Amino acid sequence: QVQLRESGGGLVQPGGSLRLSCTASGRIFFIDAMGWYRQAPGKQRELVAAITRVGSTNYADLVKGRFTISRDNAKNTVYLQMNNLKPEDTAVYYCNADIHDGLGNRAYWGQGTQVTVSS
């Protein structure tokens, strides 16, 4: 069974930085795209950033220039470096990965990690 485990969330002041990590474990044959989504209270889950296996990236307009997504394929891990954080970045951040687990390609989700930006 495949699991995604996130870490790195927390409370930070406006203008501060956080780095999120997400590691996939279990029966993994191949990981294609990986990404980060977020969901604020009362809002729909939205894409923050995504990265392909070969490193092509895509960002939501609201985070361009502030957030950087990267991955380490050898460690089955994706990162999200978040700089110049704003109160509107407050949300639960979820890791997502398209994984071939031996039975086929499936989208897996992490349990989420809370990011709170407040003074």
Side-chain angles (χ1 to χ4, degrees), residues 68-79:
T68 302
I69 189 170
S70 61
R71 65 189 284 174
D72 185 334
N73 291 332
K75 296 181 179 180
N76 292 336
T77 299
V78 62
Y79 307 96

Side-chain angles (χ1 to χ4, degrees), residues 6-29:
E6 300 126 331
S7 62
L11 173 64
V12 64
Q13 293 186 343
S17 298
L18 283 175
R19 189 191 194 210
L20 306 182
S21 299
C22 172
T23 298
S25 61
R27 185 178 173 84
I28 298 170
F29 280 62

Side-chain angles (χ1 to χ4, degrees), residues 13-92:
Q13 293 186 343
S17 298
L18 283 175
R19 189 191 194 210
L20 306 182
S21 299
C22 172
T23 298
S25 61
R27 185 178 173 84
I28 298 170
F29 280 62
F30 183 85
I31 301 179
D32 196 353
M34 303 183 82
W36 292 94
Y37 288 71
R38 68 186 182 187
Q39 188 167 18
K43 295 188 176 181
Q44 290 189 333
R45 190 173 297 189
E46 62 180 4
L47 174 68
V48 176
I51 184 168
T52 68
R53 183 172 181 83
V54 297
S56 296
T57 58
N58 180 40
Y59 294 93
D61 288 343
L62 289 175
V63 306
K64 283 181 180 177
R66 299 188 298 122
F67 291 10
T68 302
I69 189 170
S70 61
R71 65 189 284 174
D72 185 334
N73 291 332
K75 296 181 179 180
N76 292 336
T77 299
V78 62
Y79 307 96
L80 186 68
Q81 177 66 43
M82 304 185 292
N83 298 329
N84 190 21
L85 282 159
K86 304 176 180 181
E88 50 265 40
D89 294 318
T90 295
V92 177

